[in-house]
Amino acid sequence: MSAPTPPIPAPGSPPAAGRASAALPAPQKAAGAPPAFALLAGLLGFLVITVDVSGVNIALPAIRSTLHGSMADLQWVVDAYTLMFAALMLSAGAFADRSGARRAYAIGVAFFTVASAACALAPGIGTLIAARVVQGSAAAVVLPASLALIRQTYDDPGRRARAIALWSVGGSLAMAIGPVLGGALTETAGWRAVFLLNLPVGALILALLTRVPASARRHVPFDPAGQVSAVLALAALTYAVIEGGHAGRLTWQSGMALVVALAAALTFRTAEARHPAPMVPLEMLRQREVVVTLTVGFAVNAAYYGTIFLLGLYYQQLRGMSGTVAGLMFVPTAAVITAVNILSPRLADRYGRRSVIVWGQALLALAMAALLVLGSGTPAWLVLVLLLPFGISAVTVPALTALLMDSVPGHRAGTASGLLNAMRQTGGALAVALFGTLLARPADGGFSVDGLHLSLALATALLCATTLLARLMLPRD
């Protein structure tokens, strides 16, 4: 499952790369410039945007203590990043094509680095959230541009496949080291160090890019109305869930936010129908396989990202674990995710993608249901055992992505992959918004075990519904 968004990327293959994965211009070679410079630069970018998300998740209790934020503020620290990452991913690939992969990547890394410095220096929770908005926007550019840079640097298909595989491993590695690194930095140097770590990495990436050949550009029409309305719809919906949930009722603010979200969604549909090169061609959404894969991707990420958000707070606020120990609790699951990513294509070839998607979701639903036993006295070893099925359920997303790619024409592959990634990130963002409202005790805003159990039950129900949907709607292989 992605990225950075936030907290730990969900199980499965790395986030899809948006339109940058479509037809790429021929690379311009520069004498004496080894392809390894482009590969290392792209790999570091993928690592840093993923580690940043998972590390920040572990740092949330420390951020709350220092900046005196509420549970709603903590949700926005996560969702401000995830929402911008999800919404802008729809057109970030086109920006990379229009500007050239190297130029777009440099711009994304530069803004991400500056935003990281702003996060580290934030004097208050509002400033931190604003800086996270910029971080998420920059990450949406970094991801597709990094993959495009690697793809067009390697001419030979075999070498290119190995380079992309290594780039993909970066995402799995970030899953494992992100929580541990975030916890260790928070405990030893403070939560601001989680953001400061991005500064030298960003500088190194920019230095490496000076040795990478310039990328060719091509004309790609921009869809401003579609992009603005997509961001507005997601942000308004998330605001309504967070603010209305904490109030315990539909307030006039949350009601107005829902009206804005609906109006923005209708504007988005109209804009896509009229634009000559829409971000999301509406005819694509009329295909049964496309609708099912997008819905499943949303549900899987909602369950996974939402649960990791819950567990990061559960370990530290209810169980009293240090940041380092809380980070280590995620390592076994991340290791299983890495291994399952390798096995997933083989299982899909043997048993069929439909079976892998259905059974992978069913396994994740069972894992969610099993976590209902969690309480203040649950042994740590039992928590680790109950989390292992989360890693095994990583088998779902690679099969899901492959099915989607086979369901659309070749010239729509980049658009479809960007849409899938946007839906997955949106699922994670809305889950954090909803689960956070349920998690806070009404009396003092502390950790609510009842809220934890209700959140897990809702995620289980969502997965059961999408498992049934996939079984009934997807054709047999």
Side-chain angles (χ1 to χ4, degrees):
M1 299 184 186
S2 134
T5 123
I8 296 181
S13 59
R19 293 189 186 187
S21 62
L24 293 170
Q28 299 176 7
K29 294 293 181 182
F37 283 106
L39 175 57
L40 181 57
L43 178 60
L44 287 174
F46 191 16
L47 276 168
V48 76
I49 64 174
T50 305
V51 168
D52 183 78
V53 175
S54 51
V56 170
N57 188 67
I58 297 299
L60 288 177
I63 292 174
R64 183 177 190 178
S65 176
T66 303
L67 301 183
H68 309 293
S70 64
M71 178 63 73
D73 293 327
L74 296 185
Q75 290 167 271
W76 278 115
V77 169
V78 176
D79 277 349
Y81 183 101
T82 310
L83 284 173
M84 297 308 296
F85 184 52
L88 294 182
M89 180 61 66
L90 293 172
S91 60
F95 173 73
D97 286 348
R98 184 184 304 107
S99 303
R102 189 187 73 168
R103 180 183 176 87
Y105 189 47
I107 292 173
V109 170
F111 273 92
F112 186 86
T113 305
V114 172
S116 296
C119 289
L121 299 174
I125 195 71
T127 307
L128 176 59
I129 292 172
R132 290 285 283 172
V133 169
V134 180
Q135 265 197 322
S137 303
V141 176
V142 167
L143 182 61
S146 68
L147 182 55
L149 188 70
I150 294 171
R151 288 192 62 180
Q152 66 187 46
T153 298
Y154 288 85
D155 288 333
D156 179 73
R159 295 184 65 197
R160 183 166 60 240
R162 289 190 293 271
I164 292 176
L166 184 58
W167 177 87
S168 301
V169 169
S172 297
L173 179 62
M175 293 180 200
I177 68 174
V180 180
L181 187 59
L185 287 173
T186 300
E187 190 173 349
T188 58
W191 62 266
R192 298 180 190 272
V194 177
F195 297 106
L196 289 174
L197 180 65
N198 298 334
L199 274 60
V201 178
L204 176 57
I205 294 173
L206 294 175
L208 288 169
L209 288 177
T210 62
R211 300 294 306 276
V212 176
S215 305
R217 306 180 187 185
R218 66 184 180 90
H219 176 70
V220 180
F222 186 53
D223 182 6
Q227 184 62 85
V228 172
S229 58
V231 173
L232 186 59
L234 290 177
L237 179 59
T238 303
Y239 176 87
V241 173
I242 291 177
E243 300 302 326
H246 282 289
R249 56 189 173 83
L250 183 64
T251 63
W252 72 267
Q253 295 97 331
S254 56
M256 285 299 299
L258 287 175
V259 172
V260 171
L262 178 59
L266 293 175
T267 301
F268 177 81
R269 186 185 186 283
T270 302
E272 299 310 277
R274 295 179 177 178
H275 198 278
M279 295 187 303
V280 182
L282 297 182
E283 64 270 16
M284 182 184 297
L285 300 180
R286 299 187 183 100
Q287 297 177 244
R288 182 175 59 179
E289 291 85 352
V290 172
V291 172
V292 173
T293 53
L294 294 179
T295 304
V296 172
F298 176 95
V300 169
N301 267 36
Y304 193 85
Y305 284 163
T307 302
I308 296 302
F309 173 79
L310 294 173
L311 291 178
L313 297 174
Y314 165 78
Y315 290 145
Q316 297 178 78
Q317 291 191 350
L318 188 65
R319 301 297 299 270
M321 296 180 181
S322 67
T324 301
V325 174
L328 288 171
M329 292 291 289
F330 291 109
V331 172
T333 303
V336 174
I337 289 172
T338 304
V340 171
N341 274 332
I342 299 173
L343 294 176
S344 179
R346 299 179 184 178
L347 293 174
D349 287 342
R350 181 169 182 177
Y351 299 106
R353 292 169 183 166
R354 175 180 177 272
S355 296
V356 170
I357 291 170
V358 170
W359 287 106
Q361 284 189 95
L363 180 60
L364 184 55
L366 288 175
M368 302 294 298
L371 290 176
L372 290 171
V373 304
L374 292 184
S376 58
T378 307
W381 66 266
L382 180 57
V383 179
L384 290 175
V385 170
L386 293 175
L387 282 175
L388 288 180
F390 272 79
I392 299 174
S393 67
V395 71
T396 302
V397 177
L400 195 71
T401 305
L403 177 62
L404 178 63
M405 293 299 99
D406 284 351
S407 301
V408 298
H411 68 282
R412 295 292 192 195
T415 301
S417 62
L419 182 58
L420 175 60
N421 188 59
M423 286 294 293
R424 290 167 59 192
Q425 299 300 329
T426 301
L430 292 180
V432 169
L434 177 59
F435 293 177
T437 63
L438 298 174
L439 193 63
R441 284 197 303 260
D444 56 6
F447 190 96
S448 167
V449 176
D450 289 339
L452 169 67
H453 292 163
L454 179 56
S455 299
L456 294 171
L458 290 174
T460 302
L462 175 62
L463 286 166
C464 289
T466 53
T467 299
L468 182 61
L469 176 70
R471 188 176 187 279
L472 295 177
M473 300 294 292
L474 290 180
R476 294 185 180 275
D477 296 79

